Amino acid sequence: MSIFRRPQQAPVVIYPKGKSSDILLTYLDQTQVIVTNPWEGTLNIPTICRMFASFKFSRFHYLIAYLRLTHAKFVITTTDNDITFYRIKKYLPAVTTIAIQNGLRVNYASVDNPGFLEHLARQTDLHCDYILTFGESMGLEFQKYITTEFFAIGSIRNNSFFPSAAIQKSNQLAYISQLTNRALGPDDHFADYKGNPISYQEFYAAEKLICDYLAKYCSERDLKFIVCGKQPTTFVAEQSFFKPHKVSGRNEPFSSYDMLNESQIVVSLDSTVGYEFLSRGNRVVMVGGRFSHHPNKTVRNMPDIKFGYPSDLPTNGPFWISDLSESHLTTRLDLVRSMSNESWTNLIKPYQDLLMRFDPDNRILKQTFSDIGLPTIIGKPV
C-alpha cells in the first residue's frame, strides 16, 4: 500500500494476515474483503492525518483512523488475545466486531508482559459483538470480562482438516512438541507468571523428560515412538533438542495432522493440537504438569496448564494427569489403549463441546457468518 494512498475500502476487514485468515477467505466473497496489517511497513499518511484530526495519538487510535478510512462494516480478527481489539466497538459502534479464538488462553506470558486473562480482568468497558471460541468453557470465560455473545465453533483449522485417505492407524505413539522457533540459551528469560521469571530450560524441561518416559514405554510395549515437530525440519534446533528421539517436521500446513491422525495414541502437554485431536475422537493422554519441577512454588502450582483450564475439572482424570510422574503417565496410557472404541467415545463426550468442539468443514462458522450478514459465498448449510 502506498504511504500516500488512503487504505483500500471494503465492507469486511480482516486483520492481521495469517492465523487462519486464509481459511476465512474460502467462505467469504473476496471482492468484499481486505486482509491487512494496519501497522505493517511504513505508516500511511492519510491515516495519520485522520488520527491527528481526532487529537488522539497512539497505536490504537491509528488503528481506529485506519478502519474509518476503510468504511468497514465488519472487522474480524483471529488474534483473540489482542485486548485492543475489544476497544474498537466503543469508537466504531456501527461496526460489527468478531474475534475468533486461535490458541489456548493462559496467564503465563512472554517476558515482562501480564498474562492474558489476568490482564483482561483489570480492564473495563470491553466490547465485542461476537467471539467464536474453541468451546463453551472459554466463551463463558470471555463473558466475565467482555460484553459479548459467543459461539463455540472449535478450531477452524482443525475443522478444515480432512485426511487424504482412509485412516490406517499405525502401531505408533506420538508426542506433540511445543518447542518455540526461537533459538535461546538454557538460562535465557523466556516467560513470566505473575512476576515470576521462567527460563527457557525451565519452560521446556518437561518436554524432554516426558519423551524419555514415552520412548521407554514404547520399547516395552513394541510401539513406535515419534515426536510430532512444531517447526519445519529445517529448524535444526528442534531436532537437536529431542535427540535421540525421532522428530517429524511440520513442513506443510497439515503435516502434523496427517501424522497424528495415523497414530494409535497421542500425548499432549498443554498443546492446542492435543485438544483438537481429542475433539476428533482420537485417543489422547493429556499431561498438565509442565512446571511440576519448577523451583518457584507459585509457578509450580499455576492452574493455567492443568487439563481443561479455565474449566474447573478434577486435578487428575482417566486420560489426564497434572504432574510429571512416569507411573501416573504409564497408568493412563495403558488404560486409554485398553479401552474399546465405544468406551473411549463415551468417556470423552462430556469434555468435547466444553473444551474444543469438532465441527467438520466449519458448518457453525459458515452459519454464523451467514446469520449476521457477512457476504458469504456458500449460503446457509443444509
Side-chain angles (χ1 to χ4, degrees), residues 55 90 108 133 153 178 180 233-234 285 303 314 329 336 345 355 381:
F55 297 100
K90 180 179 179 180
Y108 63 75
T133 62
I153 66 166
Q178 284 287 84
T180 180
T233 50
T234 53
V285 171
L329 179 57
V336 171
T345 298
L355 305 177

Side-chain angles (χ1 to χ4, degrees), residues 24-283:
L24 299 182
L25 290 177
T26 65
Y27 307 136
L28 297 170
D29 180 352
Q30 295 186 32
T31 66
Q32 301 189 61
V33 179
I34 55 173
V35 181
T36 184
N37 185 343
W39 305 282
E40 187 175 46
T42 307
L43 294 182
N44 177 255
I45 299 300
T47 301
I48 292 174
C49 293
R50 182 67 182 257
M51 179 181 68
F52 284 170
S54 70
F55 297 100
K56 296 182 185 297
F57 317 106
S58 70
R59 177 183 169 91
F60 173 71
H61 289 100
Y62 178 88
L63 170 64
I64 294 300
Y66 185 97
L67 293 174
R68 282 186 171 133
L69 290 175
T70 67
H71 292 180
K73 296 179 180 177
F74 300 89
V75 178
I76 304 173
T77 188
T78 51
T79 309
D80 63 295
N81 57 342
D82 175 10
I83 291 179
T84 60
F85 184 81
Y86 304 115
R87 301 194 182 283
I88 291 174
K89 187 71 178 178
K90 180 179 179 180
Y91 288 83
L92 303 175
V95 171
T96 298
T97 53
I98 305 162
I100 302 175
Q101 187 178 357
N102 72 66
L104 301 180
R105 297 295 161 234
V106 294
N107 275 316
Y108 63 75
S110 56
V111 176
D112 296 328
N113 285 313
F116 173 62
L117 295 178
E118 184 182 53
H119 194 192
L120 265 186
R122 299 174 186 168
Q123 309 303 308
T124 58
D125 207 20
L126 300 180
H127 302 266
C128 186
D129 289 290
Y130 306 101
I131 303 182
L132 311 184
T133 62
F134 285 165
E136 299 284 338
S137 174
M138 197 61 223
L140 293 171
E141 189 71 14
F142 272 124
Q143 285 187 327
K144 292 178 182 178
Y145 317 110
I146 302 167
T147 301
T148 189
E149 183 177 358
F150 80 87
F151 296 95
I153 66 166
S155 159
I156 62 175
R157 186 158 294 278
N158 180 45
N159 294 339
S160 301
F161 169 66
F162 293 93
S164 55
I167 299 173
Q168 296 292 328
K169 294 291 185 186
S170 63
N171 197 35
Q172 173 175 281
L173 184 154
Y175 171 76
I176 305 170
S177 166
Q178 284 287 84
L179 205 73
T180 180
N181 60 2
R182 297 160 57 199
L184 299 175
D187 298 323
D188 286 351
H189 189 180
F190 182 72
D192 281 284
Y193 179 68
K194 296 187 175 180
N196 299 283
I198 303 170
S199 71
Y200 179 88
Q201 180 173 303
E202 289 167 342
F203 196 94
Y204 288 109
E207 307 230 3
K208 185 64 184 296
L209 182 63
I210 288 172
C211 285
D212 290 344
Y213 291 162
L214 294 176
K216 177 184 174 185
Y217 179 89
C218 288
S219 75
E220 293 173 348
R221 288 159 177 79
D222 197 27
L223 288 169
K224 178 183 174 183
F225 174 59
I226 189 167
V227 177
C228 176
K230 186 174 184 179
Q231 310 302 334
T233 50
T234 53
F235 186 73
V236 295
E238 185 172 43
Q239 310 288 320
S240 299
F241 178 87
F242 286 105
K243 278 184 178 178
H245 309 304
K246 181 180 178 182
V247 181
S248 70
R250 184 172 151 185
N251 298 319
E252 300 292 337
F254 287 110
S255 298
S256 299
Y257 291 82
D258 279 317
M259 193 274 283
L260 293 171
N261 204 48
E262 296 172 357
S263 301
Q264 180 190 114
I265 190 166
V266 172
V267 176
S268 171
L269 182 74
D270 57 53
S271 165
T272 299
V273 180
Y275 285 89
E276 288 176 341
F277 271 77
L278 187 69
S279 79
R280 301 179 76 91
N282 292 55
R283 299 189 188 221

